Amino acid sequence: GRKSPRGEARARIAGDFGCTLYFGDDPAVHEHIGRCERVMRDLASALRPGTTSAELHRQAARRFEAENLVNHPSRSIHDPAGGNLGHSIPNAFPSGTESRADIDDDRDAIARGRRFLSPRGELEIPSVGCFTLEGQLADRARSALPIVLVHLLVRMDDGAPVL
């Protein structure tokens, strides 16, 4: 069946989700996954209202370089330019009174309404709102380590990021 980008209707959770799962015991892989997650959380925690998507990309590039990481951003049919680090979540706080049909009808409008955190864009981080911060990080020197998808939902609450 079709799924809403606003998530499961009763639970009122966002449907945009991704992660990396590793069930092995290699300490190097565990360290790498932890490092990737830490870098993305640090970037999210440092965000302030008014930071542009272009500045976020510059900050991320400096941090990735310092950690010997490279990002492999995904592409979206709604962002043909690609290279983004995430996107806004339109209508992130629905009223709770929508019917299932309303949510399904909104799906495409919500997907098209996302604004991407593009390296070329000037989208500004709001003081209140939600967006994703997404990295697909690989180690520059150790190609045997996996690409790690870190997908964070960030809520700006009166100018402060909440993860």
Side-chain angles (χ1 to χ4, degrees):
R2 293 173 22 158
K3 300 231 184 243
S4 168
R6 286 183 14 206
E8 203 282 318
R10 281 187 314 261
R12 314 306 303 165
I13 58 174
D16 190 351
F17 173 79
C19 67
T20 295
L21 300 174
Y22 175 68
F23 298 103
D25 58 5
D26 184 336
V29 173
H30 284 276
E31 182 277 329
H32 174 60
I33 292 171
R35 177 171 47 123
C36 293
E37 185 173 298
R38 183 182 69 254
V39 166
M40 293 301 292
R41 286 183 176 278
D42 288 351
L43 284 171
S45 295
L47 288 173
R48 296 296 173 257
T51 301
T52 66
S53 59
E55 178 57 26
L56 171 60
H57 275 267
R58 288 189 291 274
Q59 292 170 3
R62 287 190 295 269
R63 184 64 193 270
F64 296 159
E65 181 71 27
E67 295 284 343
N68 205 29
L69 296 170
V70 61
N71 189 31
H72 297 281
S74 61
R75 295 184 65 92
S76 166
I77 61 170
H78 299 290
D79 180 29
N84 71 73
L85 278 172
H87 56 81
S88 65
I89 300 179
N91 199 17
F93 297 104
S95 68
T97 61
E98 296 91 347
S99 70
R100 184 55 163 170
D102 291 337
I103 291 172
D104 285 342
D105 288 344
D106 286 348
R107 182 185 63 248
D108 291 332
I110 291 169
R112 283 190 308 275
R114 294 178 298 175
R115 296 183 62 208
F116 291 89
L117 297 170
S118 165
R120 294 163 296 287
E122 290 303 317
L123 176 64
E124 290 188 3
I125 300 299
S127 60
V128 175
C130 287
F131 57 94
T132 66
L133 193 59
E134 305 172 30
Q136 295 187 55
L137 304 175
D139 190 290
R140 288 182 189 275
R142 298 181 292 171
S143 61
L145 292 174
I147 295 175
V148 176
L149 170 61
V150 180
H151 190 277
L152 303 174
L153 177 64
V154 181
R155 183 184 81 218
M156 294 300 287
D157 188 3
D158 199 21
V162 179
L163 307 180

